[in-house]
Amino acid sequence: MKALWKGSISFGLVNIPVRLYSGTSPHRIDLDMIRQKDQCPIQYVRVCKKDGKEVPWEEIAKGYRKENGDYVVLDKDDFKKASPEKTQTIDIFEFIKEEEIPSKYLEKPYIIEPAKEAKKVYALLREALKKSEKVGLCKFIMRTTEHLGILKVEDNVILLIQIRFNDELRDPGDAKIPSNIKITKKELDMALSIIDQLTDKFEPEKYKDTYKAELIKMIKKKATAKSGAKEPAPRKRRKTAAAKDDLLEQLKASLAAIKN
């Protein structure tokens, strides 16, 4: 694995040099944009909106647009000056119970590995977190952006779970959520029966990215197929009940399909 970030964890007056690794491996398939008629690859270029000329990377800067249309130009030193002491620090400022954090705040996991000289103090923090049954609430800066996170122990490893700031979450009240809907006892009992039938223990290794597997399978098939060969028609999906159908009948049919 390649380290995304190097710095230290600030734990009281203790400093723990660490490396940060991504805790996920996205299921992306690299696909190029091409012109369909001749399979010519598409190239994106950075063009000035005023004169239409391409701009090389070394001439590009980041700027904040003011109301009058002018820009305040920022460079690397400006970003460093915004938080010089904490740029390379995961700063624990509070300890809390993990169950106090609603799942909507959880965002992205990272694996924390100690530097060679920090193994003992890393182990100390790990055991203290386990013993206290708490997580460390922290702030850190990555790619010029400040993030909120928690440090927790899982499988004998300290993980950094990036969490969202409260003002990043949208108010669910802005959505049109139905209320005062009458649900009959029969409908509720049938829905609960479906839940009971589909209830199982969470075992993440059981769940696979079937879309990626099918897409790769289709790509290999097309790559070896003879030119001009006709693709077989896709299988028809099972017909689902229309919205106007009786809800109770849909629930009964759902339960029968599960049992079969």
Side-chain angles (χ1 to χ4, degrees):
M1 295 191 297
K2 184 178 180 181
L4 300 175
W5 184 94
K6 291 182 181 180
S8 60
I9 297 173
S10 174
F11 173 42
L13 296 179
V14 177
N15 229 36
I16 311 172
V18 296
R19 287 181 289 270
L20 212 60
Y21 300 93
S22 175
T24 61
S25 179
H27 288 176
R28 287 193 297 264
I29 298 177
D30 291 331
L31 298 174
D32 293 336
M33 303 288 285
I34 59 173
R35 186 164 57 192
Q36 187 171 0
K37 65 178 182 180
D38 59 1
Q39 298 185 13
C40 174
I42 304 299
Q43 179 181 354
Y44 288 92
V45 294
R46 298 162 299 280
V47 176
C48 175
K49 290 183 178 180
K50 290 182 180 179
D51 57 23
K53 294 180 179 179
E54 185 177 353
V55 183
W57 274 115
E58 58 269 19
E59 294 182 16
I60 294 177
K62 291 187 177 181
Y64 177 82
R65 186 170 184 173
K66 299 190 292 185
E67 290 184 4
N68 64 2
D70 292 338
Y71 283 90
V72 178
V73 180
L74 301 171
D75 57 29
K76 291 181 180 180
D77 289 336
D78 293 321
F79 290 112
K80 288 181 181 178
K81 289 174 184 176
S83 185
E85 295 180 4
K86 297 182 180 180
T87 299
Q88 296 301 115
T89 305
I90 299 171
D91 187 21
I92 303 175
F93 60 89
E94 237 173 57
F95 290 91
I96 58 175
K97 291 284 187 181
E98 186 178 1
E99 56 265 26
E100 294 175 4
I101 307 171
S103 59
K104 63 183 178 181
Y105 284 91
L106 304 178
E107 188 170 8
K108 189 185 300 182
Y110 295 96
I111 298 166
I112 297 179
E113 177 187 83
K116 289 181 180 180
E117 69 274 18
K119 289 182 178 179
K120 183 172 182 179
V121 68
Y122 177 94
L124 172 62
L125 176 59
R126 180 183 63 199
E127 296 310 308
L129 288 172
K130 287 164 68 174
K131 188 75 173 177
S132 67
E133 297 183 344
K134 293 179 181 177
V135 297
L137 194 58
C138 62
K139 284 186 178 181
F140 64 102
I141 292 175
M142 183 180 287
R143 300 188 184 95
T144 72
T145 302
E146 186 175 57
H147 300 285
L148 193 62
I150 58 171
L151 294 177
K152 61 170 290 187
V153 179
E154 194 169 294
D155 296 330
N156 223 30
V157 176
I158 298 177
L159 298 179
L160 169 63
I161 311 297
Q162 184 178 316
I163 64 177
R164 298 178 176 91
F165 286 102
N166 187 64
D167 59 7
E168 292 181 288
L169 295 173
R170 290 180 171 172
D171 184 358
D174 293 339
K176 296 177 181 178
I177 307 298
S179 59
N180 302 321
I181 304 296
K182 186 177 179 181
I183 303 294
T184 68
K185 185 179 183 302
K186 281 187 177 180
E187 290 169 342
L188 182 58
D189 288 344
M190 195 69 68
L192 289 171
S193 294
I194 293 174
I195 290 174
D196 287 340
Q197 290 290 328
L198 293 176
T199 296
D200 205 346
K201 184 180 179 182
F202 179 63
E203 298 175 359
E205 63 275 4
K206 293 193 304 185
Y207 315 114
K208 307 297 181 183
D209 185 351
T210 55
Y211 173 76
K212 178 184 176 183
E214 288 299 317
L215 187 57
I216 290 175
K217 183 179 176 182
M218 184 274 295
I219 290 171
K220 289 180 177 179
K221 186 175 181 180
K222 292 196 76 171
T224 56
K226 293 180 180 179
S227 179
K230 193 174 182 181
E231 287 287 319
R235 289 184 299 172
K236 291 184 178 180
R237 292 188 176 184
R238 187 175 60 186
K239 186 179 179 182
T240 56
K244 65 180 181 179
D245 292 346
D246 181 71
L247 177 58
L248 193 58
E249 290 303 314
Q250 293 179 43
L251 292 168
K252 288 179 180 177
S254 300
L255 194 56
I258 294 169
K259 289 181 178 179
N260 293 334

